Every structure is written in structure tokens, then in C-alpha cells.
Amino acid sequence: MAVQSTAPSLPPPPKNYIQRARTQQRNLTARAAEVGSAVGRSSANLISEVGYAARSVAPESLVRAYKVWPTKNVFCCWGFLMTGPVEDVGPNSCAWTSLLTPMAIFFYTWSDILWDPSHVPPVYSYFCCLAFASAVFWFSVTSFTDPGIIPRGPKPSGPMPPQRTRTDERGATVYETWCSTCNVYRPPRSSHCSDCDNCVRDFDHHCPFTRNCIGARNYGPFVMFLSSTCLSLAVV
């Protein structure tokens, strides 16, 4: 008999929680100033006596998740883009060089003919530009997209069963495996990537040339990149 087990979940924070924290901090400071002036003490001393709990609502104490991310991923653009470990810089640089160098040589050699309607139809010139731009675009999306990382859970107080069984929304029995590194039960078709040190949904493989794992969220862009590269090679 399958035992239904659901992971605990926390409600999402309200959209205006930062504004509420700022308002609460301003009200706390104003109230401390009023009480401090009445009793002849400074507001700073009064706030310090309230304790850490009152000061913890200040937005300055909030830290973005990417700054304390406990894996080998590298983040850029203030956490909006992420890629794989530093060890993949070499293969990734080779991939970018192999992608951009033929394009540059092609346009440098045939630019005069490509834009001459008497030699080449304009449709072919536009197709070349579209194929090359598509390959670069989808390669960038594959490299800098979250592949489907499963967030880590808190460290359990005791040993966890290596596997659990639950029933999904369609009534099917699902077997999930415990990951002692990420402290989560991995869904089916998920795996832990030793290169990035993450559990990834629908994990396919870790690609050092894209400097990222290929999983649930970037498998489509990866296929589009391969298709665009084939078109670019056909053009060249």
C-alpha cells in the first residue's frame, strides 16, 4: 500500500513585504524617539534595548539567495543569470571560439557578395544572418538559464529513509530518492550533478561546453541551439 507523503511548504511572501518592513522600521524609530524624549533617553539606546528581533525587520538585513548559494554555480547580472562551475571555463571558451570564428570568417570573406542582389538573392543573406544569430542566442540561453535546480532543504535532525513512496495528483505511485547533499527527496528522472553540486529535475547530462547542466528548464533551448548550429554549418 502506498503511503502518501507530502513535503512541507511555506506560503510565498507577500508582494509588498519589503515596503511593509520599511514602514515597520520607520514606525519603530518614530515611536522610540517619542518614548525616549518622554523619559529622557535617546531613541538609539531605546532601540538597542528592544533587541535583535525588532531590528531584524530592516531591509538592510535581507540577503539575496545567490550571494549565499551553497553550490559551484557562478551568478552574474545581480543573480538574474547563472551558469556552471569555474572549471568549465576552458571548454566553454573553446565552444564560443568554435561558434564565432567561422561566422566571422564567413562574413569577412563573402560580405561583398552577400549584399549584392545581382549575385545572391536577399533572402539567402537574411537566412544566413538569422541562422548565425539564432545559434548565438540559443547557446546563450542554454548557458545562462537555470536548468531546473531543486532548492536545498534544511538539514534533518535524524537519518532519513533512502527512498519514499507517494501518490501524485494523477493517482500514480511515485518513488523519490533521498539526496544527503541537498537534503531533499528527488522526484523521478532527477539526479544530483557532481559538477555543479545540485539536484536537477529531468537531468539529462552536464555539458562543459555550455557550462551548464541540461535539464527540465533548458532542454528546449539546448535542442534549438543544436538545430541552429546545424543550419549554420549548412550555410557555411
Side-chain angles (χ1 to χ4, degrees):
M1 180 177 178
V3 179
Q4 185 174 3
S5 176
T6 57
S9 59
L10 296 177
K15 296 181 179 180
N16 60 340
Y17 77 100
I18 294 180
Q19 185 63 31
R20 290 172 56 188
R22 292 174 177 170
T23 303
Q24 186 176 359
Q25 179 68 12
R26 287 197 298 266
N27 294 340
L28 176 64
T29 304
R31 180 59 180 168
E34 294 177 1
V35 177
S37 60
V39 298
R41 298 159 65 186
S42 65
S43 60
N45 293 336
L46 195 60
I47 292 178
S48 63
E49 294 177 4
V50 173
Y52 174 77
R55 297 194 304 272
S56 62
V57 299
E60 290 79 8
S61 63
L62 301 178
V63 179
R64 293 184 65 100
Y66 78 94
K67 293 185 177 181
V68 291
W69 197 258
T71 62
K72 300 178 182 179
N73 295 98
V74 177
F75 294 85
C76 53
C77 297
W78 301 279
F80 290 100
L81 301 178
M82 66 177 302
T83 185
V86 180
E87 291 80 6
D88 291 343
V89 171
N92 183 248
S93 301
C94 292
W96 276 110
T97 303
S98 302
L99 182 66
L100 297 177
T101 301
M103 297 180 184
I105 295 176
F106 176 82
F107 282 112
Y108 178 79
T109 305
W110 301 99
S111 59
D112 296 338
I113 299 178
L114 280 177
W115 305 113
D116 189 355
S118 61
H119 291 85
V120 177
V123 177
Y124 178 76
S125 302
Y126 296 143
F127 177 77
C128 294
C129 296
L130 180 62
F132 290 151
S134 178
V136 173
F137 173 77
W138 289 116
F139 186 72
S140 301
V141 172
T142 304
S143 300
F144 294 102
T145 299
D146 175 9
I149 296 175
I150 302 174
R152 295 195 175 193
K155 189 174 181 61
S157 57
M160 301 294 293
Q163 193 178 61
R164 72 175 182 182
T165 305
R166 68 178 179 87
T167 304
D168 62 8
E169 61 276 3
R170 295 175 298 180
T173 302
V174 177
Y175 297 92
E176 297 180 333
T177 305
W178 174 257
C179 177
S180 57
T181 302
C182 299
N183 298 320
V184 294
Y185 279 100
R186 291 195 299 263
R189 297 180 300 278
S190 302
S191 182
H192 186 88
C193 175
S194 58
D195 295 279
C196 295
D197 201 21
N198 289 308
C199 282
V200 181
R201 289 184 177 272
D202 298 338
F203 180 77
D204 188 83
H205 68 285
H206 179 85
C207 181
F209 298 101
T210 61
R211 197 183 170 185
N212 206 351
C213 296
I214 306 301
R217 297 191 62 187
N218 65 349
Y219 189 82
F222 180 69
V223 174
M224 292 298 298
F225 160 67
L226 295 179
S227 303
S228 303
T229 303
C230 291
L231 287 177
S232 302
L233 292 174
V235 168
V236 174

